[in-house]
Amino acid sequence: YWLRNRLAKNNYLDYGLELNFLEKPRAIAYRYADSLIQFESSRVGLKLGFRYSLVWYKGSNPDGFSLESNSGLGWAALYYKVSSQYPDQFQHDLDKKTDLHTLFVSQTVKVNWNRIGFYVTGSLQPYTLFYKKNEAHFGGTLISWGMVTRF
């Protein structure tokens, strides 16, 4: 959900959040003492951030055809829990849940027509930027596409 503030005629600053539901998340290996523990995904991700948007309108009607570019920056989180394969006596020293936080950058291209838009987004979330206990090069690279409506 993004809220939009006009900066100039064709420039906007959006702020908001995205709630992501992961279809095929993978477990992560997390270093604890001298062991690697598997954490299972809770299948939920969250993003809070800002987007700078530049819109090119075709014609004088702002609800007509337009092309839009969004560049985003913000905070992202993924939520995990200890895998059920570990016995309870091993979990007593561990938090049974963990969350990973990082910065994200994104770029979106969107085509709008009559309050309906079709978009393609690329996003990078390098979780090893702040966490050294999880596996090397763990991060989210996301390419998504879809349809949105404007109110």
Side-chain angles (χ1 to χ4, degrees), residues 111-130:
V111 176
N112 298 306
W113 182 70
N114 287 340
R115 298 200 175 270
I116 303 241
F118 297 94
Y119 69 90
V120 175
T121 298
S123 181
L124 174 64
Q125 297 135 194
Y127 286 95
T128 53
L129 191 62
F130 300 109

Side-chain angles (χ1 to χ4, degrees), residues 4-14 51-58 65-72 107-112 150:
R4 176 164 279 187
N5 290 319
R6 184 184 296 263
L7 298 175
K9 182 178 180 184
N10 295 341
N11 301 342
Y12 299 88
L13 182 64
D14 304 340
R51 295 187 311 199
Y52 174 76
S53 299
L54 184 58
V55 181
W56 295 276
Y57 295 104
K58 178 72 173 161
F65 180 80
S66 65
L67 183 62
E68 186 172 328
S69 173
N70 301 319
S71 299
Q107 182 64 45
T108 302
V109 175
K110 184 166 56 164
V111 176
N112 298 306
R150 298 178 289 162

Side-chain angles (χ1 to χ4, degrees), residues 4-148:
R4 176 164 279 187
N5 290 319
R6 184 184 296 263
L7 298 175
K9 182 178 180 184
N10 295 341
N11 301 342
Y12 299 88
L13 182 64
D14 304 340
Y15 56 94
L17 65 93
E18 290 180 19
L19 186 60
N20 300 306
F21 298 99
L22 309 174
E23 183 179 340
K24 294 180 182 178
R26 67 181 181 90
I28 61 169
Y30 193 82
R31 281 190 214 99
Y32 178 75
D34 293 332
S35 302
L36 284 176
I37 310 300
Q38 291 293 316
F39 277 77
E40 295 173 346
S41 173
S42 64
R43 298 182 172 264
V44 176
L46 178 69
K47 289 184 184 177
L48 295 170
F50 297 94
R51 295 187 311 199
Y52 174 76
S53 299
L54 184 58
V55 181
W56 295 276
Y57 295 104
K58 178 72 173 161
S60 60
N61 180 5
D63 289 334
F65 180 80
S66 65
L67 183 62
E68 186 172 328
S69 173
N70 301 319
S71 299
L73 178 67
W75 168 82
L78 289 175
Y79 300 96
Y80 286 86
K81 60 185 178 203
V82 173
S83 175
S84 57
Q85 70 184 6
Y86 297 101
D88 287 338
Q89 67 268 16
F90 189 62
Q91 292 181 12
H92 76 280
D93 290 333
L94 293 172
D95 290 332
K96 292 192 178 188
K97 295 184 180 180
T98 189
D99 50 341
L100 302 175
H101 306 271
T102 193
L103 299 175
F104 77 85
V105 292
S106 66
Q107 182 64 45
T108 302
V109 175
K110 184 166 56 164
V111 176
N112 298 306
W113 182 70
N114 287 340
R115 298 200 175 270
I116 303 241
F118 297 94
Y119 69 90
V120 175
T121 298
S123 181
L124 174 64
Q125 297 135 194
Y127 286 95
T128 53
L129 191 62
F130 300 109
Y131 294 92
K132 303 303 178 201
K133 289 185 175 184
N134 54 322
E135 59 197 63
H137 308 295
F138 178 78
T141 304
L142 172 72
I143 296 177
S144 62
W145 61 92
M147 185 176 87
V148 296

